[in-house]
Amino acid sequence: MDFSSKKQINAESLKNIIFDFGGIIINIDYHLTAKAFEKLGVDNFGPLFSQATQSHLFDKLEIGSISPQSFRDELRSLIQLNITDRMLDAAWNAMLLDYPPHRLRFLADIKSKYRTFLLSNTNQIHMDSYYQSLHATHGLTNLNELFEKLYFSHQVGLRKPGPDIYKLVLEENGLIPEETLFIDDTLHNLTAPHELGMQVYHLTQGEDVVDFAKAVGLY
């Protein structure tokens, strides 16, 4: 099935929208983190982390099974460099870019029409950084006022693409899968929600979620 086809979306039946975060709401560039670590002297960071595959260390951070400090210490040992926590965090957060204002306006506007949720594979180090940026650039303390509820992998102990995190969102909020749209920019994160009966959409590189919403009649 082509998850990037707008024709598959039945907007008239939708009551709920679940959004991914990175690449959907906030702009990200994974290559910037790789470059930042390479600048620190890490020659093999690319194989350690990418959007598609992650070493077990990053998985553990994303489900909250290790603390940020344990992550830093293990990563330092893995890359065999004696760098400070601050330097490591700056490199790790380099992928996090800006919040386009039109996307934040869009989220605020559609809350009156749909029940909206955020579902993200993330971690505490990134969260501290992008919330600081959100407050500095847009005056928002967090994302709570833009969504009915937030689901962050490191807080719930589950991560995409496993089906349990999608089931959690559906069951906790009494959502009917067929009335629910999930939007993500990572293709393999869409298989499980599709199998659960949700409508899904793969937002491809260079495509904006607001343009998609307008094209299918959501906004």
Side-chain angles (χ1 to χ4, degrees):
M1 184 174 181
D2 182 8
F3 291 153
S4 61
S5 172
K6 297 179 179 65
K7 294 180 181 178
Q8 67 182 316
I9 305 301
N10 181 3
E12 292 182 358
S13 68
L14 289 177
K15 296 181 180 179
N16 324 296
I17 307 176
I18 305 171
F19 295 89
D20 176 37
F21 182 52
I24 304 293
I25 308 305
I26 188 174
N27 285 328
I28 56 173
D29 187 341
Y30 293 93
H31 299 295
L32 293 179
T33 283
K35 288 179 180 178
F37 275 103
E38 288 169 5
K39 194 171 182 180
L40 291 174
V42 181
D43 296 325
N44 62 338
F45 191 79
L48 292 177
F49 178 87
S50 71
Q51 183 175 11
T53 60
Q54 298 187 12
S55 77
H56 188 54
L57 174 61
F58 299 107
D59 287 348
K60 290 191 294 184
L61 183 66
E62 283 197 342
I63 61 170
S65 65
I66 59 171
S67 68
Q69 191 57 53
S70 294
F71 168 78
R72 296 183 185 106
D73 293 341
E74 288 190 37
L75 183 55
R76 255 192 298 265
S77 176
L78 193 62
I79 63 179
Q80 297 183 329
L81 285 176
N82 185 24
I83 58 177
T84 66
D85 289 353
R86 185 173 181 179
M87 294 167 66
L88 192 151
D89 286 359
W92 179 229
N93 291 331
M95 69 178 75
L96 304 173
L97 302 176
D98 62 308
Y99 297 86
H102 72 283
R103 293 182 195 160
L104 300 183
R105 289 195 298 270
F106 159 69
L107 292 171
D109 289 345
I110 65 168
K111 275 193 70 176
S112 62
K113 186 177 179 181
Y114 301 99
R115 296 180 68 188
T116 58
F117 303 86
L118 187 70
L119 173 56
S120 175
N121 285 351
T122 190
N123 60 84
Q124 190 62 52
I125 298 173
H126 279 172
M127 177 180 280
D128 291 343
S129 177
Y130 57 65
Y131 270 172
Q132 182 179 25
S133 172
L134 183 67
H135 182 68
T137 57
H138 298 284
L140 299 175
T141 303
N142 53 50
L143 294 161
N144 294 68
E145 60 189 85
L146 297 176
F147 300 93
E148 181 175 328
K149 195 167 183 179
L150 313 174
Y151 288 86
F152 294 118
S153 61
H154 71 291
Q155 294 180 340
V156 300
L158 301 167
R159 68 185 297 276
K160 301 175 289 184
D164 288 347
I165 195 166
Y166 306 100
K167 292 178 182 177
L168 178 68
V169 180
L170 293 172
E171 292 170 4
E172 278 197 354
N173 300 285
L175 307 183
I176 298 173
E178 293 76 15
E179 297 177 347
T180 305
L181 171 65
F182 175 61
I183 306 170
D184 201 301
D185 67 333
T186 301
L187 186 59
H188 67 254
N189 287 340
L190 298 172
T191 300
H194 174 66
E195 291 176 347
L196 290 170
M198 297 165 61
Q199 298 188 49
V200 299
Y201 186 74
H202 178 217
L203 198 78
T204 55
Q205 187 173 7
E207 188 177 12
D208 192 281
V209 67
V210 179
D211 293 334
F212 157 73
K214 290 178 178 178
V216 299
L218 299 176
Y219 187 45

